[in-house]
Amino acid sequence: TDDPAEITPEAVAEAVKQGRVVTSYGPFVRVGMGSWANGPGTTVVEPGEVDLFIEVQSPSWFDVDRVELYANGALIHEWDLEPDHDPLLDLATRVTLTPERDSWYVVIALGEDDLSPMFTPVDIMPIQLQDIVDGAIGELSIGPFDLSSFATNGAPLPRTFPIRPFALTNPIWV
């Protein structure tokens, strides 16, 4: 449904179980194999060539800079979007694929803009791997080797990171 008021928790849980989900920090991604009806979580049985339809939309206050298409976990196509593309329709394309074996396809949309204040930055837990390495190496002595230069010696590490536009589809199986 296009009406959020009609969406129930049970329907969301069922969609997650069936793999019919697109996760997103901003971009809206539609993908369909052969037709828009065959979206994420669908299994399509088509011998030979099949068309994959991709549409990526975003509001005017952030950009999607790149869209990636993966087959069986390997990047097979990438679209670097020009800064002057349509401010609402980032990409609308069709890709003809010829799978040689059972395959799955996912689409990822990415951007470099900071999504604040709509999304707040992610706070990282106070202890990071770098803290542990610094503590261990700073105190370590191996004969004539001084490893303390590998530690950051108290240099400040960033503890919050901005949220960037990102969307990932569940796979379509072919």
Side-chain angles (χ1 to χ4, degrees):
T1 179
D2 288 336
D3 183 357
E6 292 181 17
I7 299 173
T8 65
E10 295 79 18
V12 172
E14 190 59 31
V16 169
K17 286 181 193 177
Q18 294 176 2
R20 295 184 293 110
V21 179
V22 175
T23 59
S24 178
Y25 267 118
F28 182 78
V29 178
R30 288 181 52 202
V31 60
M33 186 70 70
S35 76
W36 290 113
N38 295 324
T42 303
T43 299
V44 178
V45 180
E46 286 285 333
E49 289 185 348
V50 63
D51 288 332
L52 179 70
F53 301 99
I54 302 170
E55 185 175 276
V56 179
Q57 299 175 36
S58 63
S60 59
W61 52 272
F62 72 79
D63 282 327
V64 171
D65 304 315
R66 188 171 75 243
V67 177
E68 300 171 344
L69 172 61
Y70 289 82
N72 301 320
L75 179 65
I76 62 168
H77 198 85
E78 183 176 11
W79 294 267
D80 287 317
L81 306 179
E82 297 297 324
D84 62 346
H85 67 270
D86 184 311
L88 301 178
L89 181 61
D90 300 294
L91 178 70
T93 191
R94 179 182 71 194
V95 180
T96 301
L97 303 165
T98 310
E100 297 177 5
R101 59 186 171 112
D102 289 347
S103 299
W104 54 271
Y105 297 91
V106 298
V107 175
I108 297 176
L110 309 126
E112 292 298 320
D113 292 333
D114 184 347
L115 294 182
S116 63
M118 296 303 291
F119 291 97
T120 56
V122 175
D123 292 323
I124 303 301
M125 296 296 291
I127 298 178
Q128 294 183 347
L129 179 59
Q130 185 65 42
D131 296 331
I132 296 167
V133 171
D134 285 351
I137 289 179
E139 301 295 323
L140 194 59
S141 175
I142 306 177
F145 301 105
D146 179 18
L147 300 177
S148 63
S149 63
F150 290 103
T152 60
N153 296 324
L157 298 172
R159 297 295 187 198
T160 58
F161 299 90
I163 300 296
R164 309 244 184 252
F166 180 85
L168 167 68
T169 67
N170 268 141
I172 297 176
W173 306 89
V174 180

